[in-house]
Structures are given as C-alpha cells and as structure tokens.
Amino acid sequence: MNNIVFGKYLPLNTVIHNLDPRAKIIAMFFVLIAVFLPAGFIGYGIIALALAAVIVLAKINFRFIIKAFKPMIFMMIFLLIINILSYKDGVLLLSFGFISVYSSALIQTLYIVIRLILMIMTTTILTFTSKPLDLTLGIEYMLTPLKRFNFPAHEIAMIISIALRFIPTIIEETARIMNSQKSRGVDFEEGKLKEKVVAIVSLIVPLFSVAFQRADDLADAMEARGYVPGAKRTRYKQLCYHQSDYVLLASSLILLGSLVAISIVL
C-alpha cells in the first residue's frame, strides 16, 4: 500500500510546480481531449513526448510515474481481454474453440492501452506538481462565474479538496489495519475464496469505521473554527497568471490543434 502514489504531492521547486493551478487544470483538459482524438500512433507519440518533457521539467522520477500504473493494471488487463475477444474485424490471426483473435482487435486494444497510459500520466503529473489546496483554489476560481446561477462553487471545491487530501490518509490507514490484522493471523494472500472474502471483510469494516470517525472529527473541527457553507470568504493567497502560465496554455492549445489536424488528415 505504501507504493501507491496516486493523489500524492511531490514538494519540489520547479517551473511546473510554480505554475498557476488554473493553467495546469486547463492544460490537462486540453491534453485529455487530444488523447481521445483519432490521431493514430503519430499523435499519441507527440503527446507522449510532450508529457515526457513536462516530467523532466518537473524533475519527477520516472519510477513514480510507473508506480501510478500499478493500481490500474488489473483493470487494463480486463479491458484488453474483453476487447480482444469481442472485436471481430480484420484478418483472423488465431482461432481456438470459441476464441478468435483478429488483427483489428489487437490494434484497437493497443489504442486503448496507450490512451489509458497517457491519461494516467497526465492526471498523475497534475497531482504530483500541485498542492491539493492550490487545486481546490484553482477549481473554485474557474467555477466562480457559475455562482450567478446559484451554483455552490466553493462547496464543490471544498469537497474535491477534502477527497484529494484524504486519499493518502486512507491508504495509510489501510496499510495500518492490514498489518494489525496480519499480526492477528489474518492472511490476505493465501487460502480459499471464502477465507479471502472473510479477510477482506475484516479489512473493510474497520476501514469504514475509521473513515467515518475522521469525517466526524473533521466536521467538528470545521464547525469549531467557524466554517459556514455559503458565507462570503476572503483569501490570503490570490491567484494570478504569469508569463509561464500563458506559455503552458499556448503550448497545450497548439498540441490540441496539431492533434486535430493530424486526425483530419488521417
């Protein structure tokens, strides 16, 4: 559990870390839109090079990026198997009983894998280089125009902030409970299916109990400090775009435009 890096922030002093969170969020959306464009392997290669350049500028160790894929491996394998077996187009490469594998299925499966990898890389870079509170502030600023329609921008941003903040905490609590249960003889790896289900239940029940207790303590702390939802609030830190932020936005927009052009040509 300690190897899970999703939602964690790496405190470094780089040009990427110092960017405005609004610019990083907008750039992330541009990249995610580009990922879903039918630009082929050429387009995906361009996105991968752009993300690799950002990783280098942010001084992030590539091992942390690789660790971010571990929680998604099972889902990726499941999607690969389903896609290979369900897609029936192209040249038949393998036929064994009811199992048939076609050339187009392999190509489409490879597209799905690359898209998932690029999406995970993009979101991981954002969380690695942005403090949860900065992300919350950036989301709230971006949702401010919706306040005219009585949209609870601050409340939504606060919920997102709390969720991001509690991801590492829940992971640490899960590891602590697992170690406690292992010391009592619970085996999470060996045994029959029924024994594994019982072991998982012995993990889930105390984890939910701890999560609800932490949520109750957080609510009491916010009330004790005079937090009132919907009240007019002031902030010590004010977001302001700088030249580097405009460079990021322009670069991401150029990337998106290039992928659109490539997809049209293809």
Side-chain angles (χ1 to χ4, degrees):
M1 299 297 291
N2 293 329
N3 292 328
I4 298 177
V5 298
F6 178 77
K8 290 187 177 180
Y9 167 69
L10 299 180
L12 299 173
N13 185 18
T14 67
V15 62
I16 304 297
H17 285 73
N18 295 328
L19 290 172
D20 191 290
R22 296 171 295 179
K24 288 189 279 189
I25 293 172
I26 296 173
M28 180 196 70
F29 279 115
F30 284 161
V31 174
L32 292 179
I33 294 172
V35 167
F36 285 97
L37 292 175
F41 294 111
I42 297 176
Y44 295 146
I46 295 174
I47 298 175
L49 290 175
L51 294 177
V54 174
I55 292 173
V56 172
L57 290 174
K59 298 181 181 179
I60 300 174
N61 195 318
F62 280 91
R63 289 181 297 178
F64 290 105
I65 302 296
I66 295 175
K67 286 182 180 180
F69 293 103
K70 289 185 177 180
M72 307 294 295
I73 290 178
F74 177 78
M75 186 190 74
M76 292 175 66
I77 294 175
F78 178 77
L79 289 176
L80 294 182
I81 295 175
I82 295 299
N83 192 72
I84 289 176
L85 297 180
S86 61
Y87 203 87
K88 307 293 183 182
D89 194 11
V91 180
L92 180 62
L93 301 178
L94 177 64
S95 179
F96 182 76
F98 66 93
I99 299 176
S100 299
V101 179
Y102 292 82
S103 58
S104 297
L106 294 179
I107 296 175
Q108 292 298 324
T109 301
L110 189 57
Y111 280 154
I112 293 175
V113 173
I114 294 175
R115 286 174 179 173
L116 285 174
I117 292 174
L118 294 177
M119 289 170 60
I120 296 173
M121 286 180 63
T122 304
T123 54
T124 302
I125 291 172
L126 178 66
T127 56
F128 276 174
T129 60
S130 306
K131 297 179 182 179
L133 291 179
D134 290 343
L135 287 177
T136 304
L137 187 59
I139 294 173
E140 184 175 352
Y141 269 91
M142 295 172 65
L143 296 177
T144 299
L146 297 178
K147 289 183 178 180
R148 297 180 180 179
F149 306 99
N150 295 324
F151 184 82
H154 172 73
E155 286 74 13
I156 296 297
M158 177 65 70
I159 292 172
I160 295 174
S161 173
I162 293 174
L164 291 174
R165 172 61 184 84
F166 268 78
I167 288 175
T169 303
I170 294 300
I171 292 174
E172 293 175 1
E173 288 291 345
T174 304
R176 185 181 63 81
I177 294 173
M178 288 182 66
N179 292 332
S180 300
Q181 300 289 28
K182 287 180 180 179
S183 66
R184 294 177 174 86
V186 179
D187 193 348
F188 292 96
E189 299 177 0
E190 303 292 336
K192 300 179 181 179
L193 178 61
K194 182 179 179 180
E195 295 174 349
K196 290 184 177 181
V197 171
V198 173
I200 293 174
V201 171
S202 68
L203 172 65
I204 293 177
V205 173
L207 182 61
F208 269 89
S209 177
V210 170
F212 284 125
Q213 182 61 46
R214 285 186 174 273
D216 188 52
D217 293 341
L218 177 62
D220 292 338
M222 293 174 69
E223 288 182 0
R225 288 166 173 79
Y227 177 77
V228 178
K232 186 176 181 180
R233 305 176 63 86
T234 59
R235 294 189 179 276
Y236 172 76
K237 182 177 181 180
Q238 300 294 329
L239 296 180
C240 181
Y241 280 110
H242 297 89
Q243 183 178 0
S244 55
D245 300 312
Y246 291 112
V247 171
L248 174 65
L249 292 175
S251 301
S252 59
L253 190 57
I254 292 173
L255 176 65
L256 178 58
S258 302
L259 269 292
V260 170
I262 293 174
S263 60
I264 292 174
V265 172
L266 296 179

